[in-house]
Amino acid sequence: MWIWFVIVFFVLAIGLTLGGLSTFMRGLPPIVVLIVLSFYFLFFSYIGMFVALVSFSWFGFRFFDIVIVICSFLFIIAMIRSYHPAFGYQLFYKPIAWILASLFFFMGLQWGTLGYGTFFTITMTFFFTLAVFIGILLYNSMLMWVKNAYVAAVIPLASFLLVTVIKLL
């Protein structure tokens, strides 16, 4: 039962972070980002889950935890490097999109290794979409409270870094 809790907690953290980062994008409205990210999450996590279910997996849960944490650190570094004060975050920049795709794929591989199937992936997509929506609302309202735009832009990544370090434990 604790594995399910850890997975849901991490999916919610990713959703809140991506929702927060989408409020700092100047090119696309957040609702478009919400829809694109939800389909992106569903597609790559479902492929990872399917690959793990149809193939023999030699790797365990902890191995995929480490790979997911490495992808998360790469994502945080890439997002910090892509931030521009005038344009915000570049979430759909090619290297960042590939890092996100690999992160979602390895999450799906982990779920498939545990034996979770299609219903679990669709449920996690629902949780992810809800978390992105809540992240958009939360960080959009936070922009009114925090006067420094740089501090407000780093808060989603700092919270995701904390959750990523907790996932290693």
Side-chain angles (χ1 to χ4, degrees):
M1 184 68 179
W2 66 273
I3 292 175
W4 195 85
F5 176 74
V6 169
I7 291 172
V8 170
F9 182 69
F10 195 71
V11 167
L12 291 176
I14 291 174
L16 285 172
T17 301
L18 291 175
L21 295 177
S22 68
T23 60
F24 296 102
M25 292 177 62
R26 307 280 195 297
L28 293 172
I31 193 69
V32 172
V33 176
L34 170 79
I35 293 169
V36 170
L37 283 176
S38 296
F39 283 115
Y40 204 67
F41 180 84
L42 177 65
F43 180 75
F44 284 107
S45 63
Y46 188 80
I47 287 175
M49 182 267 315
F50 184 75
V51 166
L53 285 177
V54 299
S55 66
F56 180 72
S57 178
W58 295 305
F59 304 110
F61 178 79
R62 191 65 179 158
F63 173 77
F64 287 120
D65 264 351
I66 293 169
V67 172
I68 289 169
V69 166
I70 290 171
C71 288
S72 298
F73 284 144
L74 290 175
F75 173 72
I76 291 169
I77 292 168
M79 289 308 293
I80 289 172
R81 290 184 52 135
S82 76
Y83 182 74
H84 189 273
F87 301 118
Y89 286 110
Q90 304 299 319
L91 194 57
F92 298 114
Y93 184 59
K94 273 190 179 179
I96 296 171
W98 282 111
I99 292 171
L100 266 180
S102 63
L103 177 66
F104 296 156
F105 178 76
F106 285 118
M107 288 172 65
L109 275 174
Q110 184 180 40
W111 302 340
T113 302
L114 293 172
Y116 297 143
T118 303
F119 181 72
F120 185 79
T121 304
I122 291 172
T123 305
M124 287 302 109
T125 303
F126 173 74
F127 283 147
F128 176 78
T129 305
L130 184 66
V132 171
F133 182 72
I134 291 171
I136 290 170
L137 295 178
L138 177 72
Y139 288 109
N140 220 359
S141 65
M142 186 182 294
L143 286 175
M144 291 183 275
W145 299 333
V146 179
K147 300 300 180 195
N148 190 345
Y150 294 112
V151 172
V154 173
I155 289 174
L157 290 174
S159 62
F160 185 58
L161 178 65
L162 177 69
V163 170
T164 302
V165 169
I166 291 172
K167 186 168 177 69
L168 274 177
L169 302 177

